[in-house]
C-alpha cells in the first residue's frame, strides 16, 4: 500500500465533518431550552418551599396567639407586625418567669425569583395585611400573608404573584 492511500484513509471527509457538526448543533439546540426549563422549574420549586415556610410560620404565630402564648391587644388580628418578628421571637406568655422565647423562623427565606442582591430578604416579598382583600393585597398593621413580587408567570401559567 502506498503512503498516499494510507493518508487518505486516516482523515475525515468534508461530508463526515459537516454531518458531525449538524448532529452536534441539533443536540445543542434541543438541550439548551431543556436546561432553561429545568433551571426555571428549580427556582419555582424553591419559591413554593419558601412560601410554604413563611406561611407555616405565620400560622404558627397565630396559633400561639390563640393559645395565649403570645401577648397581644384585643383589637389586634393576632398576626405579627412584620416578618422580622418571626425571626426575632416573642416572649412566651405561658412561661412562669417570662424568660422563655418562642421563635418561628431561623431566617426569612429570600424570594428566589427576585435577582436584586441589594434587597434584604424581607423586602423581596409582598406582604398582605389581614384587613386587605386577596384581589388587591396591601401592607398594613400586620402580616397575614406573603406573595412574590416577581413579574411573570410560572410554567403552570399562573402569575408568581398569585401563588
Amino acid at each position: 500500500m502506498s503512503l498516499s492511500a494510507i493518508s487518505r484513509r486516516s482523515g475525515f471527509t468534508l461530508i463526515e465533518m459537516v454531518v458531525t457538526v449538524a448532529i452536534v448543533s441539533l443536540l445543542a439546540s434541543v438541550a439548551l431550552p431543556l436546561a432553561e426549563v429545568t433551571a426555571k422549574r428549580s427556582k419555582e420549586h424553591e419559591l413554593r418551599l419558601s412560601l410554604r415556610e413563611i406561611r407555616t410560620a405565620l400560622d404558627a404565630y397565630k396559633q400561639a396567639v390563640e393559645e395565649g402564648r403570645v401577648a397581644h391587644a384585643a383589637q389586634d388580628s393576632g398576626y405579627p407586625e412584620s416578618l422580622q418578628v418571626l425571626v426575632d421571637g416573642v416572649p412566651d406568655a405561658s412561661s412562669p418567669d417570662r424568660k422563655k422565647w418562642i421563635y418561628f423562623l431561623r431566617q426569612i427565606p429570600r424570594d428566589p425569583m427576585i435577582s436584586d442582591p441589594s434587597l434584604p430578604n424581607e423586602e423581596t416579598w409582598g406582604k398582605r395585611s389581614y384587613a386587605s382583600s386577596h384581589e388587591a393585597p396591601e401592607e398594613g398593621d400586620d402580616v397575614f400573608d406573603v406573595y412574590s413580587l416577581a413579574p411573570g408567570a410560572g410554567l403552570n401559567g399562573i402569575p408568581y404573584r398569585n401563588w
Side-chain angles (χ1 to χ4, degrees):
M1 225 192 287
S2 71
L3 188 58
S4 64
I6 293 174
S7 65
R8 265 194 256 160
R9 283 190 187 156
S10 65
F12 294 106
T13 66
L14 180 62
I15 292 176
E16 291 171 332
M17 293 294 281
V18 168
V19 168
T20 303
V21 168
I23 290 172
V24 169
S25 302
L26 180 66
L27 290 174
S29 69
V30 169
L32 187 62
L34 186 60
E36 290 173 358
V37 168
T38 303
K40 186 171 183 178
R41 183 174 289 133
S42 175
K43 278 185 151 186
E44 288 182 2
H45 179 70
E46 194 176 334
L47 174 62
R48 276 191 203 91
L49 291 177
S50 295
L51 284 168
R52 183 175 296 135
E53 184 178 1
I54 294 172
R55 288 172 174 162
T56 301
L58 289 169
D59 291 342
Y61 184 95
K62 174 69 171 168
Q63 183 175 358
V65 166
E66 290 172 356
E67 292 171 354
R69 295 182 64 201
V70 176
H72 74 288
Q75 70 272 14
D76 289 346
S77 67
Y79 289 96
E81 54 270 3
S82 71
L83 292 178
Q84 192 60 42
V85 170
L86 301 172
V87 176
D88 295 343
V90 292
D92 188 346
S94 66
S95 145
D97 57 1
R98 308 261 178 171
K99 291 184 179 179
K100 186 177 176 188
W101 284 66
I102 307 171
Y103 300 94
F104 301 95
L105 284 175
R106 290 179 188 253
Q107 67 178 10
I108 299 169
R110 183 172 191 80
D111 183 345
M113 299 302 188
I114 302 294
S115 58
D116 185 358
S118 67
L119 288 175
N121 291 359
E122 185 172 2
E123 291 182 24
T124 62
W125 299 103
K127 293 165 248 352
R128 175 181 160 215
S129 74
Y130 185 75
S132 74
S133 70
H134 182 273
E135 294 79 28
E138 295 178 5
E139 290 191 37
D141 296 335
D142 58 13
V143 180
F144 171 69
D145 194 13
V146 293
Y147 56 91
S148 179
L149 295 174
L155 294 172
N156 59 5
I158 299 172
Y160 295 126
R161 174 179 198 90
N162 296 339
W163 283 27

